[in-house]
Amino acid sequence: MANIYNHIGETIQRLRTNWPEGKLSQEGLAEKLGTAANTVSRWETGTYKPTAEDLDKLARLFKVSITVFFPDLQHDDKRIAALTSATGGLDNDDFEEVIRYAEFRKARQALEKAKRPRSKR
């Protein structure tokens, strides 16, 4: 992948235009996120780099895993099974929050890696 931010932008646009309640405009998405419409536009073109927190808000709004923004992040069934075992007493909402937190951490690491110069990867 040439640029992770281009992939993120394409994913945001795809999620926005496939909104279950009808195509969501950039302005409509910005309003739901409490940000400026030109910010959404710049995310979609890869001009602005969304933070992990921005991606978390988007993932929650679109009801998808934050890992959808990162093509190289695969689900690790072994780790998910370990989390399931460790969180067996939690209700569904709490369990989903634990999974979201783990995915958020993975996304944040991927963003940090994308910021590093190629020679340090």
Side-chain angles (χ1 to χ4, degrees):
M1 168 103 4
N3 184 333
I4 187 66
Y5 293 104
N6 288 336
H7 176 78
I8 290 170
E10 291 167 5
T11 304
I12 293 169
Q13 184 178 31
R14 181 176 41 80
L15 291 168
R16 179 179 59 76
T17 57
N18 292 317
W19 183 251
E21 300 163 21
K23 183 177 177 181
L24 184 62
S25 68
Q26 289 178 339
E27 294 81 11
L29 177 56
E31 185 177 318
K32 289 181 179 299
L33 296 173
T35 191
N38 65 343
T39 298
V40 172
S41 172
R42 290 175 178 155
W43 285 342
E44 289 185 2
T45 61
T47 306
Y48 276 10
K49 298 174 180 176
T51 65
E53 290 79 8
D54 295 326
L55 296 177
D56 182 55
K57 286 180 187 178
L58 287 160
R60 288 174 186 271
L61 175 69
F62 291 117
K63 295 180 175 39
V64 296
S65 167
I66 195 172
T67 60
V68 74
F69 299 108
F70 302 92
D72 296 335
L73 294 184
Q74 302 294 321
H75 289 287
D76 186 339
D77 292 334
K78 183 178 177 183
R79 287 184 177 206
I80 290 174
L83 275 174
T84 302
S85 175
T87 58
L90 297 177
D91 64 25
N92 286 341
D93 289 341
D94 287 339
F95 175 74
E96 289 299 320
E97 192 62 31
V98 169
I99 296 299
R100 283 191 173 278
Y101 177 72
E103 292 172 341
F104 174 84
R105 296 291 302 242
K106 285 174 66 173
R108 190 168 62 188
Q109 286 179 343
L111 287 175
E112 288 300 317
K113 183 178 178 184
K115 290 179 185 178
R116 290 185 211 133
R118 284 214 174 265
S119 62
K120 293 185 179 181
R121 287 188 188 167

